[in-house]
Amino acid sequence: MSECYDVFLGNLAVGKVYADRQGLYCRFRCRCHVAGGSICSLSVLCANEEIHLGIPVPAGDAFVLETRIPVKRLPEGEFRFVLLPRHRELEGKFIPLSPQEPFAYLSRLKDAYLEKRDGSIGIVIPEDGKP
């Protein structure tokens, strides 16, 4: 199995991903062009699942990523490769952390991530229904 797919940033095709089956793994090689050099992560969408593949790194005039994941982690169906902003700031609520105050959002930490904004360290919790 060796296939080539487009990589999308929004609705714009910005690169290619080559997928090769290697035994129990699938190897992905991505080369894309991102304007402004913003940090994005590459994900594959398939059967209503999103699988994070990694962050492409600068290499000459493009961004590249090479990774492999077990075939059993990939759902059956048509793949769509997308670049997503590394931190989707506008899609979540920033809660500053303070050692003196209790943290009221423990049940929502599963999809949260740590971020530093305006000199404060806090947790960003995605809006309801968004990863």
Side-chain angles (χ1 to χ4, degrees), residues 47-70:
N48 295 326
E49 288 187 44
E50 178 181 334
I51 300 168
H52 175 71
L53 297 177
I55 299 173
V57 296
D61 64 340
F63 287 81
V64 298
L65 171 72
E66 188 169 327
T67 189
R68 62 186 201 146
I69 62 173

PDB file of all heavy atoms in Angstrom, residues 47-70:
ATOM      1  N   ALA A  47     -13.504   8.374   9.592  1.00  0.00           N
ATOM      2  CA  ALA A  47     -14.612   7.748  10.325  1.00  0.00           C
ATOM      3  C   ALA A  47     -14.933   8.493  11.620  1.00  0.00           C
ATOM      4  O   ALA A  47     -15.032   7.900  12.682  1.00  0.00           O
ATOM      5  CB  ALA A  47     -14.295   6.275  10.604  1.00  0.00           C
ATOM      6  N   ASN A  48     -15.052   9.816  11.540  1.00  0.00           N
ATOM      7  CA  ASN A  48     -15.379  10.666  12.686  1.00  0.00           C
ATOM      8  C   ASN A  48     -14.350  10.608  13.807  1.00  0.00           C
ATOM      9  O   ASN A  48     -14.659  10.866  14.963  1.00  0.00           O
ATOM     10  CB  ASN A  48     -16.768  10.339  13.241  1.00  0.00           C
ATOM     11  CG  ASN A  48     -17.850  10.665  12.255  1.00  0.00           C
ATOM     12  OD1 ASN A  48     -17.742  11.631  11.496  1.00  0.00           O
ATOM     13  ND2 ASN A  48     -18.910   9.870  12.230  1.00  0.00           N
ATOM     14  N   GLU A  49     -13.130  10.226  13.487  1.00  0.00           N
ATOM     15  CA  GLU A  49     -12.033  10.217  14.454  1.00  0.00           C
ATOM     16  C   GLU A  49     -10.938  11.153  13.973  1.00  0.00           C
ATOM     17  O   GLU A  49     -10.720  11.312  12.773  1.00  0.00           O
ATOM     18  CB  GLU A  49     -11.440   8.813  14.619  1.00  0.00           C
ATOM     19  CG  GLU A  49     -12.330   7.853  15.353  1.00  0.00           C
ATOM     20  CD  GLU A  49     -11.614   6.543  15.618  1.00  0.00           C
ATOM     21  OE1 GLU A  49     -10.428   6.566  16.033  1.00  0.00           O
ATOM     22  OE2 GLU A  49     -12.232   5.490  15.389  1.00  0.00           O
ATOM     23  N   GLU A  50     -10.227  11.762  14.923  1.00  0.00           N
ATOM     24  CA  GLU A  50      -9.080  12.607  14.610  1.00  0.00           C
ATOM     25  C   GLU A  50      -7.866  11.994  15.281  1.00  0.00           C
ATOM     26  O   GLU A  50      -7.852  11.796  16.492  1.00  0.00           O
ATOM     27  CB  GLU A  50      -9.296  14.026  15.133  1.00  0.00           C
ATOM     28  CG  GLU A  50      -8.120  14.943  14.880  1.00  0.00           C
ATOM     29  CD  GLU A  50      -8.347  16.347  15.434  1.00  0.00           C
ATOM     30  OE1 GLU A  50      -9.501  16.776  15.559  1.00  0.00           O
ATOM     31  OE2 GLU A  50      -7.324  16.995  15.742  1.00  0.00           O
ATOM     32  N   ILE A  51      -6.850  11.676  14.486  1.00  0.00           N
ATOM     33  CA  ILE A  51      -5.620  11.087  15.013  1.00  0.00           C
ATOM     34  C   ILE A  51      -4.493  12.074  14.767  1.00  0.00           C
ATOM     35  O   ILE A  51      -4.192  12.420  13.628  1.00  0.00           O
ATOM     36  CB  ILE A  51      -5.319   9.726  14.358  1.00  0.00           C
ATOM     37  CG1 ILE A  51      -6.477   8.764  14.634  1.00  0.00           C
ATOM     38  CG2 ILE A  51      -4.011   9.162  14.868  1.00  0.00           C
ATOM     39  CD1 ILE A  51      -6.446   7.508  13.819  1.00  0.00           C
ATOM     40  N   HIS A  52      -3.883  12.546  15.854  1.00  0.00           N
ATOM     41  CA  HIS A  52      -2.792  13.516  15.778  1.00  0.00           C
ATOM     42  C   HIS A  52      -1.525  12.793  15.336  1.00  0.00           C
ATOM     43  O   HIS A  52      -1.131  11.786  15.922  1.00  0.00           O
ATOM     44  CB  HIS A  52      -2.598  14.165  17.151  1.00  0.00           C
ATOM     45  CG  HIS A  52      -1.443  15.086  17.222  1.00  0.00           C
ATOM     46  ND1 HIS A  52      -1.427  16.314  16.595  1.00  0.00           N
ATOM     47  CD2 HIS A  52      -0.248  14.962  17.834  1.00  0.00           C
ATOM     48  CE1 HIS A  52      -0.275  16.896  16.830  1.00  0.00           C
ATOM     49  NE2 HIS A  52       0.454  16.093  17.575  1.00  0.00           N
ATOM     50  N   LEU A  53      -0.880  13.307  14.290  1.00  0.00           N
ATOM     51  CA  LEU A  53       0.337  12.692  13.776  1.00  0.00           C
ATOM     52  C   LEU A  53       1.606  13.418  14.211  1.00  0.00           C
ATOM     53  O   LEU A  53       2.675  12.837  14.214  1.00  0.00           O
ATOM     54  CB  LEU A  53       0.289  12.616  12.246  1.00  0.00           C
ATOM     55  CG  LEU A  53      -0.814  11.743  11.661  1.00  0.00           C
ATOM     56  CD1 LEU A  53      -0.792  11.800  10.144  1.00  0.00           C
ATOM     57  CD2 LEU A  53      -0.695  10.315  12.154  1.00  0.00           C
ATOM     58  N   GLY A  54       1.505  14.709  14.537  1.00  0.00           N
ATOM     59  CA  GLY A  54       2.676  15.452  14.978  1.00  0.00           C
ATOM     60  C   GLY A  54       2.716  16.846  14.396  1.00  0.00           C
ATOM     61  O   GLY A  54       1.780  17.287  13.722  1.00  0.00           O
ATOM     62  N   ILE A  55       3.823  17.538  14.655  1.00  0.00           N
ATOM     63  CA  ILE A  55       4.013  18.911  14.198  1.00  0.00           C
ATOM     64  C   ILE A  55       5.086  18.933  13.125  1.00  0.00           C
ATOM     65  O   ILE A  55       6.232  18.554  13.382  1.00  0.00           O
ATOM     66  CB  ILE A  55       4.418  19.824  15.366  1.00  0.00           C
ATOM     67  CG1 ILE A  55       3.312  19.833  16.419  1.00  0.00           C
ATOM     68  CG2 ILE A  55       4.713  21.235  14.874  1.00  0.00           C
ATOM     69  CD1 ILE A  55       3.677  20.570  17.682  1.00  0.00           C
ATOM     70  N   PRO A  56       4.735  19.350  11.901  1.00  0.00           N
ATOM     71  CA  PRO A  56       5.757  19.471  10.853  1.00  0.00           C
ATOM     72  C   PRO A  56       6.802  20.525  11.238  1.00  0.00           C
ATOM     73  O   PRO A  56       6.473  21.551  11.829  1.00  0.00           O
ATOM     74  CB  PRO A  56       4.955  19.922   9.630  1.00  0.00           C
ATOM     75  CG  PRO A  56       3.552  19.487   9.914  1.00  0.00           C
ATOM     76  CD  PRO A  56       3.398  19.617  11.398  1.00  0.00           C
ATOM     77  N   VAL A  57       8.057  20.236  10.915  1.00  0.00           N
ATOM     78  CA  VAL A  57       9.161  21.140  11.255  1.00  0.00           C
ATOM     79  C   VAL A  57       9.746  21.757   9.985  1.00  0.00           C
ATOM     80  O   VAL A  57       9.667  21.165   8.910  1.00  0.00           O
ATOM     81  CB  VAL A  57      10.265  20.405  12.051  1.00  0.00           C
ATOM     82  CG1 VAL A  57       9.731  19.921  13.383  1.00  0.00           C
ATOM     83  CG2 VAL A  57      10.837  19.249  11.263  1.00  0.00           C
ATOM     84  N   PRO A  58      10.336  22.953  10.100  1.00  0.00           N
ATOM     85  CA  PRO A  58      10.915  23.599   8.917  1.00  0.00           C
ATOM     86  C   PRO A  58      12.058  22.783   8.321  1.00  0.00           C
ATOM     87  O   PRO A  58      12.888  22.235   9.045  1.00  0.00           O
ATOM     88  CB  PRO A  58      11.441  24.927   9.455  1.00  0.00           C
ATOM     89  CG  PRO A  58      10.771  25.139  10.764  1.00  0.00           C
ATOM     90  CD  PRO A  58      10.444  23.792  11.304  1.00  0.00           C
ATOM     91  N   ALA A  59      12.067  22.715   6.998  1.00  0.00           N
ATOM     92  CA  ALA A  59      13.147  22.062   6.250  1.00  0.00           C
ATOM     93  C   ALA A  59      13.260  22.772   4.913  1.00  0.00           C
ATOM     94  O   ALA A  59      12.480  22.511   3.993  1.00  0.00           O
ATOM     95  CB  ALA A  59      12.862  20.581   6.062  1.00  0.00           C
ATOM     96  N   GLY A  60      14.178  23.707   4.831  1.00  0.00           N
ATOM     97  CA  GLY A  60      14.307  24.484   3.605  1.00  0.00           C
ATOM     98  C   GLY A  60      13.126  25.418   3.435  1.00  0.00           C
ATOM     99  O   GLY A  60      12.783  26.166   4.330  1.00  0.00           O
ATOM    100  N   ASP A  61      12.454  25.308   2.290  1.00  0.00           N
ATOM    101  CA  ASP A  61      11.324  26.189   2.011  1.00  0.00           C
ATOM    102  C   ASP A  61       9.977  25.574   2.392  1.00  0.00           C
ATOM    103  O   ASP A  61       8.930  26.116   2.055  1.00  0.00           O
ATOM    104  CB  ASP A  61      11.310  26.566   0.532  1.00  0.00           C
ATOM    105  CG  ASP A  61      11.083  25.359  -0.363  1.00  0.00           C
ATOM    106  OD1 ASP A  61      11.321  24.220   0.095  1.00  0.00           O
ATOM    107  OD2 ASP A  61      10.670  25.551  -1.519  1.00  0.00           O
ATOM    108  N   ALA A  62       9.964  24.451   3.086  1.00  0.00           N
ATOM    109  CA  ALA A  62       8.723  23.752   3.421  1.00  0.00           C
ATOM    110  C   ALA A  62       8.756  23.279   4.872  1.00  0.00           C
ATOM    111  O   ALA A  62       9.735  23.483   5.588  1.00  0.00           O
ATOM    112  CB  ALA A  62       8.529  22.570   2.483  1.00  0.00           C
ATOM    113  N   PHE A  63       7.674  22.648   5.276  1.00  0.00           N
ATOM    114  CA  PHE A  63       7.588  21.992   6.573  1.00  0.00           C
ATOM    115  C   PHE A  63       7.426  20.503   6.314  1.00  0.00           C
ATOM    116  O   PHE A  63       6.669  20.108   5.425  1.00  0.00           O
ATOM    117  CB  PHE A  63       6.389  22.523   7.364  1.00  0.00           C
ATOM    118  CG  PHE A  63       6.588  23.913   7.887  1.00  0.00           C
ATOM    119  CD1 PHE A  63       6.403  25.017   7.074  1.00  0.00           C
ATOM    120  CD2 PHE A  63       6.973  24.115   9.197  1.00  0.00           C
ATOM    121  CE1 PHE A  63       6.590  26.295   7.546  1.00  0.00           C
ATOM    122  CE2 PHE A  63       7.163  25.391   9.689  1.00  0.00           C
ATOM    123  CZ  PHE A  63       6.974  26.487   8.870  1.00  0.00           C
ATOM    124  N   VAL A  64       8.127  19.672   7.091  1.00  0.00           N
ATOM    125  CA  VAL A  64       8.076  18.230   6.873  1.00  0.00           C
ATOM    126  C   VAL A  64       7.784  17.499   8.181  1.00  0.00           C
ATOM    127  O   VAL A  64       8.068  17.993   9.274  1.00  0.00           O
ATOM    128  CB  VAL A  64       9.395  17.699   6.263  1.00  0.00           C
ATOM    129  CG1 VAL A  64       9.649  18.308   4.904  1.00  0.00           C
ATOM    130  CG2 VAL A  64      10.569  17.939   7.187  1.00  0.00           C
ATOM    131  N   LEU A  65       7.212  16.318   8.015  1.00  0.00           N
ATOM    132  CA  LEU A  65       6.947  15.429   9.144  1.00  0.00           C
ATOM    133  C   LEU A  65       7.034  14.014   8.633  1.00  0.00           C
ATOM    134  O   LEU A  65       6.496  13.694   7.562  1.00  0.00           O
ATOM    135  CB  LEU A  65       5.550  15.690   9.724  1.00  0.00           C
ATOM    136  CG  LEU A  65       5.076  14.684  10.773  1.00  0.00           C
ATOM    137  CD1 LEU A  65       5.842  14.881  12.072  1.00  0.00           C
ATOM    138  CD2 LEU A  65       3.591  14.837  11.013  1.00  0.00           C
ATOM    139  N   GLU A  66       7.724  13.179   9.370  1.00  0.00           N
ATOM    140  CA  GLU A  66       7.766  11.757   9.060  1.00  0.00           C
ATOM    141  C   GLU A  66       7.502  11.005  10.352  1.00  0.00           C
ATOM    142  O   GLU A  66       8.173  11.222  11.360  1.00  0.00           O
ATOM    143  CB  GLU A  66       9.125  11.360   8.482  1.00  0.00           C
ATOM    144  CG  GLU A  66       9.137   9.957   7.970  1.00  0.00           C
ATOM    145  CD  GLU A  66      10.374   9.627   7.147  1.00  0.00           C
ATOM    146  OE1 GLU A  66      10.884  10.518   6.457  1.00  0.00           O
ATOM    147  OE2 GLU A  66      10.805   8.471   7.220  1.00  0.00           O
ATOM    148  N   THR A  67       6.492  10.150  10.330  1.00  0.00           N
ATOM    149  CA  THR A  67       6.123   9.393  11.524  1.00  0.00           C
ATOM    150  C   THR A  67       5.484   8.078  11.113  1.00  0.00           C
ATOM    151  O   THR A  67       5.166   7.883   9.933  1.00  0.00           O
ATOM    152  CB  THR A  67       5.155  10.208  12.417  1.00  0.00           C
ATOM    153  OG1 THR A  67       4.981   9.541  13.664  1.00  0.00           O
ATOM    154  CG2 THR A  67       3.810  10.406  11.741  1.00  0.00           C
ATOM    155  N   ARG A  68       5.311   7.206  12.056  1.00  0.00           N
ATOM    156  CA  ARG A  68       4.593   5.965  11.782  1.00  0.00           C
ATOM    157  C   ARG A  68       3.769   5.604  13.008  1.00  0.00           C
ATOM    158  O   ARG A  68       4.152   5.909  14.141  1.00  0.00           O
ATOM    159  CB  ARG A  68       5.518   4.834  11.365  1.00  0.00           C
ATOM    160  CG  ARG A  68       6.513   4.425  12.389  1.00  0.00           C
ATOM    161  CD  ARG A  68       7.474   3.394  11.836  1.00  0.00           C
ATOM    162  NE  ARG A  68       8.058   2.698  12.973  1.00  0.00           N
ATOM    163  CZ  ARG A  68       8.390   1.437  12.988  1.00  0.00           C
ATOM    164  NH1 ARG A  68       8.228   0.721  11.916  1.00  0.00           N
ATOM    165  NH2 ARG A  68       8.894   0.891  14.061  1.00  0.00           N
ATOM    166  N   ILE A  69       2.622   4.999  12.743  1.00  0.00           N
ATOM    167  CA  ILE A  69       1.737   4.586  13.822  1.00  0.00           C
ATOM    168  C   ILE A  69       1.227   3.185  13.513  1.00  0.00           C
ATOM    169  O   ILE A  69       1.198   2.771  12.352  1.00  0.00           O
ATOM    170  CB  ILE A  69       0.562   5.564  14.029  1.00  0.00           C
ATOM    171  CG1 ILE A  69      -0.324   5.652  12.794  1.00  0.00           C
ATOM    172  CG2 ILE A  69       1.053   6.944  14.422  1.00  0.00           C
ATOM    173  CD1 ILE A  69      -1.581   6.460  13.020  1.00  0.00           C
ATOM    174  N   PRO A  70       0.825   2.445  14.559  1.00  0.00           N
ATOM    175  CA  PRO A  70       0.298   1.102  14.317  1.00  0.00           C
ATOM    176  C   PRO A  70      -0.962   1.141  13.452  1.00  0.00           C
ATOM    177  O   PRO A  70      -1.817   2.008  13.624  1.00  0.00           O
ATOM    178  CB  PRO A  70      -0.035   0.589  15.719  1.00  0.00           C
ATOM    179  CG  PRO A  70       0.787   1.423  16.647  1.00  0.00           C
ATOM    180  CD  PRO A  70       0.916   2.761  15.982  1.00  0.00           C
TER     181      PRO A  70
END
